[in-house]
Amino acid sequence: MKESTRIMFKKHGWRIDRAIHNYIYFAFYYPYVKIVQLFLILLKHLTWIKPLQYVGDMAFNRYHGKFMSLEDTEKIFTLDEDISAVSSANKRIIPRKYAFKILFQEPDYIAVMDCPCKKAYGAAPEFINSCLAVGKGVASFWLEHGEKYHAHKITQAEALDLIRRFRKQGHITQAFFKVATGGSSGVICNCHPDTCVSLKASSITRHIRPDLSQSIESGYSVKHAEQKCTLCGTCVQSCHFGAVKISDGLWSYDAKTCLGCGLCVESCPNEALSLYVDAGKARPLDMDDVRENLATT
């Protein structure tokens, strides 16, 4: 047994079922996501079937992504210390029943490999190598088992360069949490609505169970400085969720529709937009907040 496999089984303790799920999930990433892709097709067209809704509820409580602003993402990829926050207090940031642990052990140990969602949906080759594992526990497993997915080790600076490049191309940063991987953070992806299983699942289910959307809002909303705005429309083009609109010479914004990714803020040429912590939403995954208020020693 490879060393990373032993680490993974040890993490799950007596829950051998979850360890096996963990192994299958990452060792056979692509076929796993192809099966999920098939389930989404069924869910989209057969949402009235109660058993499918039950399976969706079960999945979304156990596997979900937290939207990240660029600033909060940068804080993760410049960590120089281990972070451990595992109590239910984390639910103010990750409001889910099971997977909410915030763990970054040896955060400068990072691997990148092919995104199975992008492979499944036929993304352009230059966008496929985009999934990041932060911390030796997950990253070493990818490196030892993910050769077929072009897994390789990169530095924190290289990871940030990759994320910034993808965000300029309209990709959203998500930190993923999954019961089968210990219910904790560690996987951060560059996601696009056209090629992301998580974002497609959220789009399908938002009108059925908005409380169990697979994607959790970042915790931010957008502030508009009218005096700086030229109504150029760049923010409208960058928003994947229709939260920003310009009509009859007026700029409008729907905070309920906005998931706080921050792409509109970064795209604005006049710095007319900014993010603020919205008290009506789940708290941001801000490592300063986690370190000061949630982390255990």
Side-chain angles (χ1 to χ4, degrees), residues 61-80:
N61 261 318
R62 291 166 171 79
Y63 174 55
H64 37 265
K66 173 75 173 179
F67 273 47
M68 299 282 295
S69 71
L70 177 59
E71 182 179 357
D72 288 343
T73 303
E74 289 172 340
K75 290 179 182 179
I76 289 176
F77 285 95
T78 53
L79 281 172
D80 58 3

Side-chain angles (χ1 to χ4, degrees), residues 14-43:
W14 64 273
R15 291 302 302 263
I16 301 299
D17 57 324
R18 290 181 179 175
I20 294 173
H21 188 179
N22 193 161
Y23 185 92
I24 293 172
Y25 181 66
F26 284 135
F28 304 99
Y29 217 4
Y30 181 57
Y32 185 105
V33 167
K34 288 295 288 184
I35 293 172
V36 175
Q37 185 184 29
L38 176 61
F39 171 75
L40 289 182
I41 293 172
L42 293 174
L43 186 63

Side-chain angles (χ1 to χ4, degrees), residues 62-294:
R62 291 166 171 79
Y63 174 55
H64 37 265
K66 173 75 173 179
F67 273 47
M68 299 282 295
S69 71
L70 177 59
E71 182 179 357
D72 288 343
T73 303
E74 289 172 340
K75 290 179 182 179
I76 289 176
F77 285 95
T78 53
L79 281 172
D80 58 3
E81 61 181 302
D82 292 353
I83 295 292
S84 176
V86 298
S87 77
S88 60
N90 291 354
K91 290 184 180 182
R92 70 174 193 170
I93 296 173
I94 314 295
R96 287 296 183 266
K97 189 174 182 180
Y98 302 110
F100 52 77
K101 298 176 184 176
I102 301 170
L103 288 170
F104 293 103
Q105 307 295 312
E106 297 185 59
D108 60 342
Y109 196 106
I110 300 169
V112 60
M113 75 174 181
D114 292 349
C115 172
C117 299
K118 290 175 180 174
K119 286 172 64 71
Y121 284 105
E126 63 267 26
F127 294 129
I128 289 178
N129 199 237
S130 59
C131 286
L132 296 161
V134 184
K136 191 171 183 178
V138 179
S140 63
F141 190 91
W142 286 17
L143 293 171
E144 290 193 346
H145 297 82
E147 183 178 352
K148 58 183 175 293
Y149 302 126
H150 306 102
H152 58 280
K153 197 171 184 293
I154 60 174
T155 66
Q156 289 180 313
E158 289 171 329
L160 277 174
D161 285 345
L162 183 148
I163 288 167
R164 291 173 183 137
R165 173 168 58 86
F166 272 93
R167 289 181 71 90
K168 287 180 179 179
Q169 296 292 327
H171 290 70
I172 298 161
T173 313
Q174 289 196 92
F176 281 97
F177 296 76
K178 184 176 176 63
V179 166
T181 58
S184 66
S185 56
V187 176
I188 296 178
C189 289
N190 299 281
C191 307
H192 194 282
D194 292 342
T195 55
C196 174
V197 165
S198 173
L199 293 176
K200 285 182 176 292
S202 294
S203 177
I204 293 169
T205 60
R206 193 169 293 134
H207 66 288
I208 306 171
R209 291 291 305 276
D211 58 312
L212 283 178
S213 173
Q214 202 161 33
S215 297
I216 301 169
E217 59 206 10
S218 71
Y220 297 103
S221 287
V222 175
K223 184 181 295 184
H224 177 236
E226 186 177 358
Q227 69 277 13
K228 294 183 178 181
C229 182
T230 62
L231 301 177
C232 67
T234 304
C235 56
V236 176
Q237 296 170 11
S238 66
C239 180
H240 293 298
F241 310 105
V244 182
K245 295 180 181 179
I246 296 176
S247 180
D248 298 325
L250 295 174
W251 186 92
S252 63
Y253 168 70
D254 184 355
K256 292 183 178 179
T257 302
C258 175
L259 293 176
C261 66
L263 292 185
C264 63
V265 174
E266 295 163 43
S267 71
C268 180
N270 302 302
E271 299 183 351
L273 303 177
S274 58
L275 293 176
Y276 70 92
V277 177
D278 190 332
K281 297 182 177 182
R283 292 283 297 178
L285 182 52
D286 179 343
M287 298 315 297
D288 290 339
D289 181 27
V290 172
R291 186 188 292 106
E292 294 170 12
N293 301 303
L294 297 173

